[in-house]
Every structure is written in C-alpha cells, then in structure tokens.
Amino acid sequence: MLAKAITLAVGLAGAAGFSQFPEYSQQYMQRLGGAVDELSRFVAEFDADASELGLSREAALVDLAKGGSMGAARADTVVSTIERQARLSADLEVLQGAGPFTRAYELRRFSDSEIARRALDAFKPAVPLTFEGAVFAGAGFIGGFVLVALLLGFLRRLKSWLRGRDVKKA
C-alpha cells in the first residue's frame, strides 16, 4: 500500500513538473527574442561604425585590438558578443517555428544560462489548461510512475537476493 502511495505521489509530482514546460519554454523564447534584438542592435551599430571608417567587421576588430590592452579586451568582448548573437539568433529561429512538443525535442536550444535563469526567476507555475500542458503532465506522470516502479522492483529483487544469501550461509 505504501509503495502504491509513493508511486502515485511521484507520478503526480512528475505530472506537475512536466506540465510547466510549455509555459516555461514560451517565457524563455520571449526573453531569447529580447536578447537577440538587443545583441543584433549592438552588432549592427558596430558594423555601421566600421563601415563609416571604411572597414569590414574583421578589420575593425583587428584595429580595435591594436588600441592597447583596453582595446584588445574590448575587441575580445565584441567578438564574444557577435558569437553569442549568432548562436542565440540560430536558437531563436529554430524555436520560433516550433510548437511545444518540438521545443521539447530541441531542448539543447535552451542553452543560454543567463536567459534560462532569468526566465526561471520570473516564472510562476500554473495549472496548464492546454492540450500540450495535459500531454506534458501525462508524460511526467508516466515518467515518475515508471521511475518509482523500477526503483521498487530493484529494491524487491535486492531484498530477495539478500535473503537468499542469508539462507545459504545458515
């Protein structure tokens, strides 16, 4: 009886947790979109400044790096910002065209820890009243249920095996 209650409780916890993914992923995408917009603006301004001086982006970065230690540090920061903008833009492009189930498949696209942390900080769990929320809840319930069932089965076999060892010693 206790095993069934524990299994049910873990299944319900899995349902509650998984059912939150569609809304969390939506909030992550909104923050991702804002980050991409701001980074794109920065990159465009840098490219425009370089263009006004008759330089390509790469030539402007080399020129910036020649400006002493501060210029070199700033050039490294700009390179990192450009790379982040490209990575986040690619993630956003894939996620924007994806529904909640495809977003779960594309979980690796939720890789920016700063955006993920801020989305989680602002996230408020709620009861999902959508089809995808129900599907994720069902998957979480089944996952939790199966996990506990496997764990309890392993413990029963271990207990049986240990009893068998004790009988052989006597």
Side-chain angles (χ1 to χ4, degrees), residues 20 22 119 134 146:
Q20 301 304 307
V146 167

mmCIF file of all heavy atoms in Angstrom, residues 20 22 119 134 146:
data_model
loop_
_atom_site.group_PDB
_atom_site.id
_atom_site.type_symbol
_atom_site.label_atom_id
_atom_site.label_comp_id
_atom_site.label_asym_id
_atom_site.label_seq_id
_atom_site.Cartn_x
_atom_site.Cartn_y
_atom_site.Cartn_z
ATOM 1 N N GLN A 20 4.619 22.113 -16.703
ATOM 2 C CA GLN A 20 5.049 23.508 -16.713
ATOM 3 C C GLN A 20 5.950 23.841 -17.901
ATOM 4 O O GLN A 20 6.184 25.011 -18.205
ATOM 5 C CB GLN A 20 5.784 23.851 -15.412
ATOM 6 C CG GLN A 20 4.950 23.649 -14.165
ATOM 7 C CD GLN A 20 3.657 24.417 -14.188
ATOM 8 O OE1 GLN A 20 3.650 25.623 -14.399
ATOM 9 N NE2 GLN A 20 2.548 23.731 -13.997
ATOM 10 N N PRO A 22 5.665 23.754 -21.281
ATOM 11 C CA PRO A 22 5.213 24.619 -22.379
ATOM 12 C C PRO A 22 5.254 26.113 -22.016
ATOM 13 O O PRO A 22 5.695 26.927 -22.821
ATOM 14 C CB PRO A 22 3.782 24.142 -22.652
ATOM 15 C CG PRO A 22 3.780 22.713 -22.217
ATOM 16 C CD PRO A 22 4.689 22.681 -21.017
ATOM 17 N N ALA A 119 14.487 33.635 -16.895
ATOM 18 C CA ALA A 119 13.138 33.132 -17.199
ATOM 19 C C ALA A 119 12.604 32.337 -16.014
ATOM 20 O O ALA A 119 11.436 32.466 -15.645
ATOM 21 C CB ALA A 119 13.159 32.276 -18.458
ATOM 22 N N ALA A 134 -1.480 19.230 -20.895
ATOM 23 C CA ALA A 134 -2.007 17.925 -20.478
ATOM 24 C C ALA A 134 -1.101 16.792 -20.945
ATOM 25 O O ALA A 134 -0.858 15.837 -20.204
ATOM 26 C CB ALA A 134 -3.420 17.741 -21.020
ATOM 27 N N VAL A 146 6.875 5.224 -13.672
ATOM 28 C CA VAL A 146 7.809 4.191 -14.131
ATOM 29 C C VAL A 146 9.107 4.232 -13.326
ATOM 30 O O VAL A 146 9.650 3.189 -12.943
ATOM 31 C CB VAL A 146 8.087 4.343 -15.651
ATOM 32 C CG1 VAL A 146 9.264 3.501 -16.097
ATOM 33 C CG2 VAL A 146 6.842 3.991 -16.445
#
